[in-house]
Amino acid sequence: MLIKIDFQSETPIYIQLRNEIIKGIAKKQLLQGENLPSVRQMAEDIGINMHTVNKAYNLLKEDGFINIDRRKGAMIGSMQNIITEDFMMKLNEEVDALIAESCCRGMSEKEFIDLCKEKFNSYK
């Protein structure tokens, strides 16, 4: 899986890395039980600090996307039933903000929904 990091982006690198791994899981490029590179190897491959990778891996672990074992390293976890109340609250807040900004910019409901459908279908 190719991980794209935009070093010019205002989004922190650890968040970009987290998001790229989640996209890889959603697109079935990373499968349950599959090992991720070690923190050291991932940092070398991307050219970032090991602490940045560690922070991304810890977020992924907290959210249930990966399991971390001292002997086996980081592995893709089971994606069964991880829709939590916290996730739903976060999703609601983020979607609300995106809809508000889209309305302010003059985007129609149809344009917004069509874009959402297109993006959602890219992960099927």
Side-chain angles (χ1 to χ4, degrees), residues 7-22:
F7 293 99
Q8 306 305 315
S9 173
E10 291 183 18
T11 303
I13 293 171
Y14 73 95
I15 296 291
Q16 291 183 55
L17 178 56
R18 173 196 175 273
N19 292 345
E20 287 293 306
I21 291 170
I22 291 172

PDB file of all heavy atoms in Angstrom, residues 7-22:
ATOM      1  N   PHE A   7       3.595  17.028   3.107  1.00  0.00           N
ATOM      2  CA  PHE A   7       4.379  17.732   4.110  1.00  0.00           C
ATOM      3  C   PHE A   7       4.067  19.232   4.152  1.00  0.00           C
ATOM      4  O   PHE A   7       4.451  19.913   5.094  1.00  0.00           O
ATOM      5  CB  PHE A   7       5.878  17.495   3.886  1.00  0.00           C
ATOM      6  CG  PHE A   7       6.281  16.068   4.143  1.00  0.00           C
ATOM      7  CD1 PHE A   7       6.433  15.170   3.092  1.00  0.00           C
ATOM      8  CD2 PHE A   7       6.489  15.616   5.434  1.00  0.00           C
ATOM      9  CE1 PHE A   7       6.781  13.856   3.327  1.00  0.00           C
ATOM     10  CE2 PHE A   7       6.849  14.303   5.689  1.00  0.00           C
ATOM     11  CZ  PHE A   7       6.990  13.417   4.626  1.00  0.00           C
ATOM     12  N   GLN A   8       3.351  19.738   3.151  1.00  0.00           N
ATOM     13  CA  GLN A   8       2.964  21.151   3.113  1.00  0.00           C
ATOM     14  C   GLN A   8       1.586  21.391   3.725  1.00  0.00           C
ATOM     15  O   GLN A   8       1.182  22.522   3.938  1.00  0.00           O
ATOM     16  CB  GLN A   8       2.966  21.659   1.663  1.00  0.00           C
ATOM     17  CG  GLN A   8       4.276  21.437   0.918  1.00  0.00           C
ATOM     18  CD  GLN A   8       5.475  22.031   1.625  1.00  0.00           C
ATOM     19  OE1 GLN A   8       5.429  23.163   2.099  1.00  0.00           O
ATOM     20  NE2 GLN A   8       6.559  21.276   1.732  1.00  0.00           N
ATOM     21  N   SER A   9       0.863  20.307   4.018  1.00  0.00           N
ATOM     22  CA  SER A   9      -0.500  20.399   4.540  1.00  0.00           C
ATOM     23  C   SER A   9      -0.513  20.928   5.971  1.00  0.00           C
ATOM     24  O   SER A   9       0.429  20.730   6.735  1.00  0.00           O
ATOM     25  CB  SER A   9      -1.160  19.012   4.511  1.00  0.00           C
ATOM     26  OG  SER A   9      -2.413  19.043   5.156  1.00  0.00           O
ATOM     27  N   GLU A  10      -1.622  21.586   6.318  1.00  0.00           N
ATOM     28  CA  GLU A  10      -1.809  22.031   7.699  1.00  0.00           C
ATOM     29  C   GLU A  10      -2.245  20.873   8.602  1.00  0.00           C
ATOM     30  O   GLU A  10      -2.180  20.980   9.822  1.00  0.00           O
ATOM     31  CB  GLU A  10      -2.841  23.158   7.753  1.00  0.00           C
ATOM     32  CG  GLU A  10      -2.332  24.439   7.110  1.00  0.00           C
ATOM     33  CD  GLU A  10      -3.319  25.578   7.229  1.00  0.00           C
ATOM     34  OE1 GLU A  10      -4.237  25.514   8.067  1.00  0.00           O
ATOM     35  OE2 GLU A  10      -3.162  26.538   6.460  1.00  0.00           O
ATOM     36  N   THR A  11      -2.684  19.760   8.001  1.00  0.00           N
ATOM     37  CA  THR A  11      -3.079  18.577   8.762  1.00  0.00           C
ATOM     38  C   THR A  11      -1.819  17.904   9.314  1.00  0.00           C
ATOM     39  O   THR A  11      -0.889  17.627   8.552  1.00  0.00           O
ATOM     40  CB  THR A  11      -3.858  17.583   7.876  1.00  0.00           C
ATOM     41  OG1 THR A  11      -4.987  18.243   7.310  1.00  0.00           O
ATOM     42  CG2 THR A  11      -4.313  16.369   8.670  1.00  0.00           C
ATOM     43  N   PRO A  12      -1.779  17.649  10.617  1.00  0.00           N
ATOM     44  CA  PRO A  12      -0.579  17.008  11.192  1.00  0.00           C
ATOM     45  C   PRO A  12      -0.255  15.678  10.500  1.00  0.00           C
ATOM     46  O   PRO A  12      -1.156  14.952  10.073  1.00  0.00           O
ATOM     47  CB  PRO A  12      -0.969  16.778  12.655  1.00  0.00           C
ATOM     48  CG  PRO A  12      -2.051  17.766  12.930  1.00  0.00           C
ATOM     49  CD  PRO A  12      -2.798  17.924  11.631  1.00  0.00           C
ATOM     50  N   ILE A  13       1.017  15.382  10.412  1.00  0.00           N
ATOM     51  CA  ILE A  13       1.469  14.174   9.713  1.00  0.00           C
ATOM     52  C   ILE A  13       0.890  12.918  10.356  1.00  0.00           C
ATOM     53  O   ILE A  13       0.480  11.995   9.652  1.00  0.00           O
ATOM     54  CB  ILE A  13       3.007  14.127   9.642  1.00  0.00           C
ATOM     55  CG1 ILE A  13       3.504  15.260   8.742  1.00  0.00           C
ATOM     56  CG2 ILE A  13       3.502  12.780   9.128  1.00  0.00           C
ATOM     57  CD1 ILE A  13       5.004  15.467   8.756  1.00  0.00           C
ATOM     58  N   TYR A  14       0.805  12.860  11.674  1.00  0.00           N
ATOM     59  CA  TYR A  14       0.286  11.661  12.321  1.00  0.00           C
ATOM     60  C   TYR A  14      -1.190  11.435  11.958  1.00  0.00           C
ATOM     61  O   TYR A  14      -1.627  10.297  11.818  1.00  0.00           O
ATOM     62  CB  TYR A  14       0.502  11.683  13.838  1.00  0.00           C
ATOM     63  CG  TYR A  14      -0.368  12.624  14.622  1.00  0.00           C
ATOM     64  CD1 TYR A  14      -1.541  12.182  15.216  1.00  0.00           C
ATOM     65  CD2 TYR A  14      -0.015  13.963  14.787  1.00  0.00           C
ATOM     66  CE1 TYR A  14      -2.341  13.053  15.945  1.00  0.00           C
ATOM     67  CE2 TYR A  14      -0.798  14.830  15.517  1.00  0.00           C
ATOM     68  CZ  TYR A  14      -1.968  14.369  16.090  1.00  0.00           C
ATOM     69  OH  TYR A  14      -2.755  15.229  16.805  1.00  0.00           O
ATOM     70  N   ILE A  15      -1.942  12.503  11.759  1.00  0.00           N
ATOM     71  CA  ILE A  15      -3.345  12.382  11.346  1.00  0.00           C
ATOM     72  C   ILE A  15      -3.413  11.914   9.887  1.00  0.00           C
ATOM     73  O   ILE A  15      -4.226  11.052   9.535  1.00  0.00           O
ATOM     74  CB  ILE A  15      -4.101  13.721  11.516  1.00  0.00           C
ATOM     75  CG1 ILE A  15      -4.154  14.127  12.982  1.00  0.00           C
ATOM     76  CG2 ILE A  15      -5.494  13.656  10.904  1.00  0.00           C
ATOM     77  CD1 ILE A  15      -5.027  13.251  13.862  1.00  0.00           C
ATOM     78  N   GLN A  16      -2.547  12.466   9.040  1.00  0.00           N
ATOM     79  CA  GLN A  16      -2.506  12.025   7.643  1.00  0.00           C
ATOM     80  C   GLN A  16      -2.179  10.534   7.564  1.00  0.00           C
ATOM     81  O   GLN A  16      -2.803   9.797   6.794  1.00  0.00           O
ATOM     82  CB  GLN A  16      -1.462  12.817   6.856  1.00  0.00           C
ATOM     83  CG  GLN A  16      -1.818  14.272   6.629  1.00  0.00           C
ATOM     84  CD  GLN A  16      -0.766  14.950   5.782  1.00  0.00           C
ATOM     85  OE1 GLN A  16      -0.453  14.501   4.675  1.00  0.00           O
ATOM     86  NE2 GLN A  16      -0.205  16.040   6.289  1.00  0.00           N
ATOM     87  N   LEU A  17      -1.195  10.086   8.351  1.00  0.00           N
ATOM     88  CA  LEU A  17      -0.806   8.681   8.358  1.00  0.00           C
ATOM     89  C   LEU A  17      -1.963   7.814   8.840  1.00  0.00           C
ATOM     90  O   LEU A  17      -2.290   6.794   8.221  1.00  0.00           O
ATOM     91  CB  LEU A  17       0.434   8.466   9.231  1.00  0.00           C
ATOM     92  CG  LEU A  17       0.929   7.033   9.373  1.00  0.00           C
ATOM     93  CD1 LEU A  17       1.217   6.405   8.016  1.00  0.00           C
ATOM     94  CD2 LEU A  17       2.163   6.998  10.268  1.00  0.00           C
ATOM     95  N   ARG A  18      -2.607   8.223   9.929  1.00  0.00           N
ATOM     96  CA  ARG A  18      -3.777   7.502  10.449  1.00  0.00           C
ATOM     97  C   ARG A  18      -4.842   7.372   9.361  1.00  0.00           C
ATOM     98  O   ARG A  18      -5.365   6.295   9.108  1.00  0.00           O
ATOM     99  CB  ARG A  18      -4.343   8.251  11.667  1.00  0.00           C
ATOM    100  CG  ARG A  18      -5.641   7.686  12.192  1.00  0.00           C
ATOM    101  CD  ARG A  18      -6.323   8.691  13.124  1.00  0.00           C
ATOM    102  NE  ARG A  18      -7.618   8.232  13.559  1.00  0.00           N
ATOM    103  CZ  ARG A  18      -8.752   8.431  12.878  1.00  0.00           C
ATOM    104  NH1 ARG A  18      -8.737   9.074  11.740  1.00  0.00           N
ATOM    105  NH2 ARG A  18      -9.898   7.979  13.348  1.00  0.00           N
ATOM    106  N   ASN A  19      -5.146   8.483   8.712  1.00  0.00           N
ATOM    107  CA  ASN A  19      -6.187   8.486   7.681  1.00  0.00           C
ATOM    108  C   ASN A  19      -5.816   7.602   6.490  1.00  0.00           C
ATOM    109  O   ASN A  19      -6.674   6.908   5.927  1.00  0.00           O
ATOM    110  CB  ASN A  19      -6.488   9.912   7.235  1.00  0.00           C
ATOM    111  CG  ASN A  19      -7.147  10.740   8.318  1.00  0.00           C
ATOM    112  OD1 ASN A  19      -7.639  10.220   9.322  1.00  0.00           O
ATOM    113  ND2 ASN A  19      -7.150  12.052   8.132  1.00  0.00           N
ATOM    114  N   GLU A  20      -4.566   7.625   6.090  1.00  0.00           N
ATOM    115  CA  GLU A  20      -4.118   6.791   4.961  1.00  0.00           C
ATOM    116  C   GLU A  20      -4.256   5.303   5.289  1.00  0.00           C
ATOM    117  O   GLU A  20      -4.655   4.504   4.445  1.00  0.00           O
ATOM    118  CB  GLU A  20      -2.675   7.121   4.575  1.00  0.00           C
ATOM    119  CG  GLU A  20      -2.517   8.437   3.864  1.00  0.00           C
ATOM    120  CD  GLU A  20      -3.155   8.455   2.481  1.00  0.00           C
ATOM    121  OE1 GLU A  20      -2.847   7.571   1.664  1.00  0.00           O
ATOM    122  OE2 GLU A  20      -3.962   9.372   2.229  1.00  0.00           O
ATOM    123  N   ILE A  21      -3.941   4.920   6.505  1.00  0.00           N
ATOM    124  CA  ILE A  21      -4.071   3.515   6.913  1.00  0.00           C
ATOM    125  C   ILE A  21      -5.544   3.121   6.954  1.00  0.00           C
ATOM    126  O   ILE A  21      -5.924   2.045   6.486  1.00  0.00           O
ATOM    127  CB  ILE A  21      -3.355   3.258   8.251  1.00  0.00           C
ATOM    128  CG1 ILE A  21      -1.832   3.382   8.044  1.00  0.00           C
ATOM    129  CG2 ILE A  21      -3.716   1.881   8.822  1.00  0.00           C
ATOM    130  CD1 ILE A  21      -1.007   3.380   9.309  1.00  0.00           C
ATOM    131  N   ILE A  22      -6.401   4.003   7.457  1.00  0.00           N
ATOM    132  CA  ILE A  22      -7.839   3.710   7.479  1.00  0.00           C
ATOM    133  C   ILE A  22      -8.369   3.567   6.058  1.00  0.00           C
ATOM    134  O   ILE A  22      -9.165   2.666   5.769  1.00  0.00           O
ATOM    135  CB  ILE A  22      -8.609   4.796   8.269  1.00  0.00           C
ATOM    136  CG1 ILE A  22      -8.259   4.699   9.759  1.00  0.00           C
ATOM    137  CG2 ILE A  22     -10.115   4.649   8.059  1.00  0.00           C
ATOM    138  CD1 ILE A  22      -8.810   5.836  10.608  1.00  0.00           C
TER     139      ILE A  22
END
